[in-house]
Amino acid sequence: MAEQAFVTLATNDNYARGAMVLGKSLRNHDTSKKLVALIGPEVSEPCQSVLRRIFDEVLVVDVLDSGDTAHLAMMKRPELGVTLTKLHCWTLTHFSKCVFMDADTMVLSNIDELFDREELSASPDPGWPDCFNSGVFVFRPSEETYAKLLEYCSEHGSFDGGDQGVLNGFFSDWATADISKHLPFIYNLSSVAIYTYLPAFKQFGQNAKVVHFLGKNKPWSYTYDPKSTQISGNVSDAAAHPSFLLDWWKLYSSTVVPALQEQFGDQPFHSGCVESQ
Amino acid sequence: MAEQAFVTLATNDNYARGAMVLGKSLRNHDTSKKLVALIGPEVSEPCQSVLRRIFDEVLVVDVLDSGDTAHLAMMKRPELGVTLTKLHCWTLTHFSKCVFMDADTMVLSNIDELFDREELSASPDPGWPDCFNSGVFVFRPSEETYAKLLEYCSEHGSFDGGDQGVLNGFFSDWATADISKHLPFIYNLSSVAIYTYLPAFKQFGQNAKVVHFLGKNKPWSYTYDPKSTQISGNVSDAAAHPSFLLDWWKLYSSTVVPALQEQFGDQPFHSGCVESQ
Ligand SMILES: O=c1ccn([C@@H]2O[C@H](COP(=O)(O)OP(=O)(O)O)[C@@H](O)[C@H]2O)c(=O)[nH]1
Ligand SMILES: O=c1ccn([C@@H]2O[C@H](COP(=O)(O)OP(=O)(O)O)[C@@H](O)[C@H]2O)c(=O)[nH]1
Ligand SMILES: [Mn+2]
Ligand SMILES: [Mn+2]
C-alpha cells in the first residue's frame, strides 16, 4: 500500500512559520503519516531549512514556471496564484491518500483516523454551512483530478476568490451526497464559531482536535512575550480564542524559534517574540 | 393518510405579528398543508382573532396550567418556559407529519416538498454547523416522543438555554447519521450567514426559500414608513439583510396591518408603521 501524508502550503515566510507549528503539532501527537510542505519560491532559504527538518518532503511549487496547464490557468485567472499552488497537492501521486491542512491550523490530538475517510471529506464552514471549509480536507492525489480541477478553475474561477470557492464548486455535491464525507466540526474548529455560538463551543469545544485560525488575524499577526507568556497586538480579536492562541505561541516559541535562530544565524529575522522591559 | 401541517409558535403579540407574516407568506405561495399556530395565553384577543383568520388552528398552550409532565419539567427548569411551549408541537398527533417554523421566518417560495423528509430534518446552524438550527424542522407528532423530550428537558436542561440546545441534545446523531436529514441551508437562511461569508450568499442566496431573522433584532424591532418604503431603527444591523427585511415589511404592512386595524378597532396598538412628515 502506498504511503499517506499530511500536506500543507506556505507561499511566504509568515505562512511558513504557521506550517512549522502545524508540523510540530502533528509530530508531537505521534502521527504515523508522512509530512509534506508545498512552498512558493519566495520562502527564504533559512525557513526552507527549518521546514525540511520538520517535514519529510518540502516541494517548491512555482505555478508561473510550471509550463503546464497550471501555468495556462494562471494566465487566465492571475488572482488565483495561491489557489493554484494549493491545487498542486493533487499531483502528489506517490501517496495513496492525503489530508490537506492550512498553515494556520494546529492539531490538538492525533488525527490519523482521518485517513479512514474518502475524497472529498471536510468539515462544514461556519457562515455558509452547505459549503465545506477548505482548511482541512481528505483527498486522493490523481493527475486526472488535478487536470479537471485546473480546467474547472480556468472556466469558472472561484466564487470567493480563493481555493474554498473552487473546491466547493468542483465537489458540489458535498452538502447532499454522503454524510461520511462530513468531518465533524471539531476537526476544523474555527475561532469564528466561538463567538457566534458560544454555548455550543462551551458544550463541544473541549473535544476540539484541530483549531483553525481562520480570517484576517493569524497567530503570527500578534507578538508574544515568552517570559510573561502574554500575547500583545490587536488582542480584542485574540480574546475570542485566547487559549488556542496561547497554545500556538507556546509551541512556536519553544520549538520553532530556536530552529529559526540557528538557521538565520547572524541575519536578523522577525520571530514575533518580544521581551517586555 | 392523516393530514400534514406547518406549525409555528408565538407567546406574545410581537412574535404573533411574526407568525402572521409567516402564515401569509405560506398562503401566498399556495401551500396545500394546514397551518397551525401554538400561542401563549398572553397573546391579546385581537391578535388571536387575526391569527385565526390566517391559520387553520390556533391552540393556546399554557405550560403552567397543563398539569402534566410539561408542568413538572417547568417547575424544575423554569427558564425553559418558551422551549416547553415549543415542544408541545409533538402533541399534534392528528397530523402525520409537520414542519415547525419559528415566528421570525418567512417563506419566499412553496416549500411543501419538505414533507418528503423524515424526523428530525433541519438545516445546519451557521456558527456551530454540527448543530442544526431549530428555526425550521420536520417532525412527526407522537405522544411517546413528546414524553421523552420532556424527560430529556428535565434531566439535562438546554446547553444554550433554548429549544435549539434541547433538540440538538435529544437528536444528537443529526450531524453524523443521515445526509437526507440535512435540509439545504436555503431552507433556513439566516442573516448571520450573509455577512460572515458574503461571497457564498452572492453565489447561492438567490435560491433562498426561507429567510430566518435570527438574533436579537427582529423585523418588528424596526419601524417602517409604507409611503417611502423605508425602514428605520437600528438600521446598521438591518443593512445586513436589507431586501429580505423590506419583503417582510411590505407583506406585513399590506396584509397584516389592515387585519390588525380591523380587530383592534378604536383600541390603540403598535403597528410599527410610521408616517414620515
Ligand atoms: O499568502 C498566502 C495565503 C494563503 N496561503 C495558504 O493558503 C491557506 C489558506 O489561506 P488562509 O488560511 O489565509 O485563509 P482563511 O483560512 O483565513 O480563509 C493558508 O493557510 C496557507 O496554507 C499561503 O501560503 N500564502
Ligand atoms: O418570547 C418568545 C421567544 C420565542 N418565541 C418563539 O420561539 C422561536 C425561537 O425564538 P427566536 O426566534 O427569538 O430565537 P432565534 O431564532 O433568534 O435564536 C420564535 O421564533 C418564536 O416562535 C416566542 O414565541 N416568544
Ligand atoms: Mn486558513
Ligand atoms: Mn428564530
Side-chain angles (χ1 to χ4, degrees), chain A residues 12-13 41-49 264:
Chain A
N12 58 44
D13 277 14
E42 299 95 61
V43 174
S44 70
E45 190 45 55
C47 280
Q48 293 196 23
S49 296
F264 275 95

Side-chain angles (χ1 to χ4, degrees), chain A residues 74-222:
Chain A
M74 178 74 182
M75 296 294 99
K76 219 168 152 189
R77 306 272 180 179
E79 76 284 6
L80 293 181
V82 174
T83 296
L84 291 166
T85 313
K86 189 162 178 174
L87 295 185
H88 206 84
C89 67
W90 262 273
T91 67
L92 300 169
T93 50
H94 52 302
F95 297 107
S96 61
K97 199 188 276 185
C98 296
V99 172
F100 182 91
M101 302 187 74
D102 266 10
D104 60 345
T105 62
M106 178 176 69
V107 310
L108 307 174
S109 65
N110 184 294
I111 56 168
D112 287 358
E113 70 271 17
L114 286 182
F115 290 85
D116 296 340
R117 306 272 183 157
E118 283 307 319
E119 173 173 291
L120 185 290
S121 293
S123 300
D125 186 68
W128 195 275
D130 274 5
C131 286
F132 55 87
N133 184 282
S134 61
V136 177
F137 61 85
V138 182
F139 70 101
R140 277 197 184 278
S142 149
E143 288 292 349
E144 193 189 332
T145 309
Y146 178 62
K148 283 185 188 157
L149 273 164
L150 290 181
E151 195 190 320
Y152 184 90
C153 232
S154 314
E155 273 178 29
H156 304 277
S158 167
F159 71 75
D160 70 355
D163 58 281
Q164 183 157 314
V166 173
L167 292 173
N168 274 278
F170 188 80
F171 295 102
S172 64
D173 67 354
W174 175 86
T176 54
D178 182 352
I179 196 79
S180 75
K181 293 184 179 174
H182 284 219
L183 298 183
F185 187 56
I186 51 169
Y187 288 98
N188 188 345
L189 176 58
S190 59
S191 36
V192 182
I194 301 178
Y195 47 87
T196 49
Y197 193 15
L198 190 62
F201 175 69
K202 288 187 174 157
Q203 181 79 356
F204 306 114
Q206 74 272 22
N207 306 320
K209 289 173 185 282
V210 179
V211 58
H212 184 182
F213 299 95
L214 183 155
K216 202 169 60 70
N217 291 314
K218 302 302 183 193
W220 52 85
S221 315
Y222 305 95

Side-chain angles (χ1 to χ4, degrees), chain B residues 7-16 18-19 22 38-40 42-43 82-83 85-86 100-105 125 133-135 160 163-164 188 190 212-218 220:
Chain B
V7 181
T8 190
L9 165 67
T11 63
N12 58 44
D13 277 14
N14 274 331
Y15 280 96
L22 169 62
L38 305 177
I39 61 170
E42 298 92 63
V43 173
V82 172
T83 296
T85 313
K86 190 163 176 174
F100 182 90
M101 301 187 75
D102 266 9
D104 60 344
T105 62
D125 187 67
N133 184 281
S134 62
D160 70 355
D163 58 281
Q164 183 157 313
N188 188 346
S190 59
H212 184 183
F213 298 96
L214 183 155
K216 204 169 60 72
N217 291 314
K218 302 302 183 192
W220 52 86

